[in-house]
Amino acid sequence: CFNSGVALLLINGFIETISVMETNQDKKKSLIYSVYPVICAELFTIPTIKLLDIMGNIRKHILAPRARDQEEMNSYMSGAKFELAERYTDATKILFVALFYSTIMPELFTIP
């Protein structure tokens, strides 16, 4: 939560936090334009990587057919660990960042 939410606020000054400038260089400095990519990255990259399960697919489709015996094949066919605590942590982090920056970006409530 600290890296996603509070660190961006501490790096930027208060005036840069609430300002929306006209030029492209000033837009990149504004906190409003630096929070949105963090939220989108948290929403889309982590679930996509977990959904693709690249190493699990390699184990199931490449290593399992080449196994020497049934025990080895069964070990390759086991799925990835499902950590409920990690999933709750990801959801809480997104909620914290959305609530933390909701005063300057109310559209963050519509993203999740």
Side-chain angles (χ1 to χ4, degrees):
C1 286
F2 179 80
N3 290 341
S4 299
V6 182
L8 289 173
L9 184 65
L10 293 176
I11 291 170
N12 294 331
F14 180 72
I15 299 301
E16 292 174 352
T17 301
I18 58 174
S19 66
V20 178
M21 302 295 180
E22 295 298 322
T23 64
N24 286 339
Q25 287 294 350
D26 291 333
K27 279 185 180 181
K28 291 178 184 175
K29 290 182 190 175
S30 179
L31 182 67
I32 293 173
Y33 294 102
S34 61
V35 170
Y36 197 75
V38 171
I39 292 285
C40 289
E42 292 289 332
L43 280 175
F44 297 117
T45 57
I46 294 173
T48 303
I49 290 170
K50 289 182 180 178
L51 184 66
L52 290 176
D53 190 24
I54 296 168
M55 194 60 204
N57 283 325
I58 290 172
R59 290 174 55 141
K60 289 176 186 173
H61 298 291
I62 295 173
L63 298 177
R66 292 165 178 79
R68 293 188 189 120
D69 57 357
Q70 188 65 41
E71 272 186 48
E72 189 178 357
M73 183 178 281
N74 288 345
S75 69
Y76 288 140
M77 292 303 246
S78 64
K81 282 187 177 179
F82 182 82
E83 298 284 339
L84 188 60
E86 187 177 336
R87 303 294 168 107
Y88 276 126
T89 303
D90 292 340
T92 305
K93 181 172 39 174
I94 293 169
L95 181 65
F96 170 76
V97 173
L99 291 175
F100 191 78
Y101 290 112
S102 65
T103 56
I104 59 173
M105 286 185 76
E107 64 266 12
L108 289 177
F109 289 126
T110 61
I111 291 175

